[in-house]
Amino acid sequence: MLPETPDDPARLLARLISIDSVNPDLVPGGAGESVIADFCGAWLAARGFEIHSLDKRSGRPSLVAIAHGTGGGRTLMLNGHLDTVSLADYDGDPLDPRIRDGRMYGRGAFDMKGGIAAMMVAAARATAHGRLRGDVLLACVADEEYGSSGTEEVLESFTADAAIVTEPSHLEVTLAHKGFAWFDVEIEGRAAHGSRPELGIDAIAKAGHFLVALENLGRRLAEGPAHPLLGTGTVHASVIHGGEEPSTYPAHCRITLERRTVPGESADSVERELTAVLDDLTTTVPDFRYRLTRGVHRDPFEADTEADVVRTLTHHAEQVLGHPPVVRAEPFWTDCALLDRAGIPCLLFGADGEGAHAATEYIDLASLDRLTDILTATITDFCS
């Protein structure tokens, strides 16, 4: 049984889990964020927040809720995403929140409706008496699981003096994460009948040379200089397409690759790196020809450890946890990078649990309470 205390984060989380918000860019026909955004907007409006609905992409709304301060204080943004991955492979009913052994199970419980519930309750508690000088801004965003269009849209109209992204982090202060860059490499051959090798150029065989070179690049990256929290960048081939039928030399072979980047690396530096590898193959492999095309790319992120928001949250985390919080980095990308690029000092801090994108997903409810307490104290301190 959930407690009957007002604005309890576990009770709010159970309601959020029960709302289908699968990202339709990941799963065609997915419910999207409309219903859950409406629910969050109504919940926050009832507690005095000014509600802004952003719907640049029809049917994919993000929500910005603001509690205005008395004036002269700093604005703090709390950011979390409303969308989830697929329900299809979940073990059990993904929309039926279940509590067992101090854990709440359900799709999105960990990633990241727990963070949404904690930041909503924390903001409501911190602003309930209207004594803060600064504004508190909640950004409940769409589409983080695919393209992060929600946070991009928020940043077109809103800013803050600092931000906290409440992605799950096991109550550890996350100050850096990797970026990524996707590239397509099109290896060009020449189509010919399989009986005429003197006329054909096998694009798939030529692509094999690149795959070996890509593996060697990954080895060099692993042996190179490492970031103190993130280690080194990585690279891997993700998808390969080529050929038409067994009796024809393939004229094209396309390889899609992903390069995970660390601070100091960028899509531009990766493109130069790949071009050097490919140009070397054109001089060493007969008839090797290629086209390199840049796809989606996102910057890595690294927080300023001396930023006020980092120091404030770390202090209150230590008070609640009873020990200094672990400082960590994540290998995956988050919206922190977009906030940082917009000039908003930020960090990532969220609840404990397991099962992001997995068949079973849960949040530790004690950590949800601690997260809510830490966020409440941080908001009150930072915005006073």
Side-chain angles (χ1 to χ4, degrees):
M1 293 289 292
L2 291 174
E4 294 297 334
T5 55
D7 292 347
D8 177 72
R11 186 170 295 280
L12 177 57
L13 173 57
R15 185 68 185 92
L16 295 175
I17 290 172
S18 72
I19 301 173
D20 183 352
S21 58
V22 171
N23 189 318
D25 285 332
L26 293 175
V27 181
E33 300 87 357
S34 293
V35 174
I36 195 169
D38 287 346
F39 172 82
C40 292
W43 192 97
L44 289 162
R47 288 152 181 82
F49 284 76
E50 176 185 292
I51 305 301
H52 302 263
S53 182
L54 308 180
D55 200 4
K56 192 176 191 178
R57 295 181 65 195
S58 180
R60 305 297 307 279
S62 293
L63 174 78
V64 173
I66 304 174
H68 290 285
T70 58
R74 296 177 295 184
T75 298
L76 180 64
M77 177 192 294
L78 291 95
N79 176 293
H81 66 85
L82 299 170
D83 58 320
T84 72
V85 295
S86 174
L87 308 178
D89 297 322
Y90 194 84
D91 185 10
D93 185 346
L95 302 179
D96 181 17
R98 299 291 181 94
I99 295 178
R100 187 171 66 252
D101 299 327
R103 301 168 173 176
M104 185 179 291
Y105 290 79
R107 175 58 79 216
F110 183 57
D111 182 21
M112 62 160 293
K113 291 180 178 180
I116 292 282
M119 74 186 205
M120 288 171 63
V121 171
R125 290 177 181 174
T127 60
H129 302 295
R131 297 169 184 162
L132 300 183
R133 295 171 60 208
D135 297 346
V136 180
L137 187 154
L138 299 183
C140 303
V141 301
D143 191 44
E144 191 275 345
E145 294 287 7
Y146 184 77
S148 288
S149 63
T151 291
E152 288 184 327
E153 185 175 3
V154 167
L155 292 172
E156 290 175 5
S157 303
F158 297 91
T159 189
D161 295 301
I164 302 167
V165 175
T166 60
E167 286 270 16
S169 74
H170 309 281
L171 295 178
E172 297 174 354
V173 175
T174 303
L175 299 183
H177 65 63
K178 289 186 177 182
F180 67 89
W182 297 342
F183 285 85
D184 283 337
V185 179
E186 185 86 13
I187 308 299
E188 300 176 12
R190 183 186 302 130
H193 194 278
S195 65
R196 300 298 303 276
E198 73 280 9
L199 299 179
I201 297 175
D202 187 340
I204 294 175
K206 301 300 180 187
H209 292 275
F210 173 65
L211 291 173
V212 171
L214 195 67
E215 185 177 37
N216 290 334
L217 172 61
R219 189 176 298 113
R220 293 196 300 274
L221 290 171
E223 295 170 351
H227 184 274
L229 291 175
L230 289 166
T232 64
T234 59
V235 66
H236 73 277
S238 307
V239 183
I240 184 167
H241 294 284
E244 298 294 337
E245 62 272 324
S247 61
T248 301
Y249 278 83
H252 301 279
C253 182
R254 186 175 74 252
I255 297 165
T256 299
L257 63 90
E258 179 182 69
R259 173 72 157 82
R260 290 280 167 168
T261 55
V262 298
E265 298 177 329
S266 66
D268 288 340
S269 69
V270 172
E271 185 166 353
R272 291 192 296 270
E273 177 183 80
L274 293 172
T275 299
V277 169
L278 289 159
D279 285 349
D280 180 66
L281 291 173
T282 63
T283 63
T284 57
V285 177
D287 298 319
F288 187 92
R289 294 182 299 162
Y290 75 90
R291 290 198 305 273
L292 178 65
T293 305
R294 187 188 301 190
V296 176
H297 55 92
R298 296 294 190 188
D299 295 330
F301 160 71
E302 185 168 30
D304 177 0
T305 58
E306 297 302 313
D308 283 347
V309 67
V310 174
R311 294 165 66 91
T312 302
L313 184 139
T314 300
H315 167 73
H316 290 292
E318 181 172 355
Q319 296 300 304
V320 171
L321 300 176
H323 58 80
V326 173
V327 175
R328 64 180 294 187
E330 290 287 6
F332 52 77
W333 189 86
T334 79
D335 281 351
C336 278
L338 296 178
L339 295 162
D340 182 63
R341 189 178 68 187
I344 302 174
C346 60
L347 74 158
L348 186 150
F349 187 76
D352 193 13
E354 291 293 342
H357 301 205
T360 301
E361 182 177 356
Y362 70 84
I363 189 171
D364 177 86
L365 289 174
S367 80
L368 178 64
D369 287 336
R370 293 188 187 104
L371 172 62
T372 305
D373 290 344
I374 292 165
L375 293 176
T376 303
T378 301
I379 294 167
T380 303
D381 190 350
F382 189 87
C383 298
S384 291

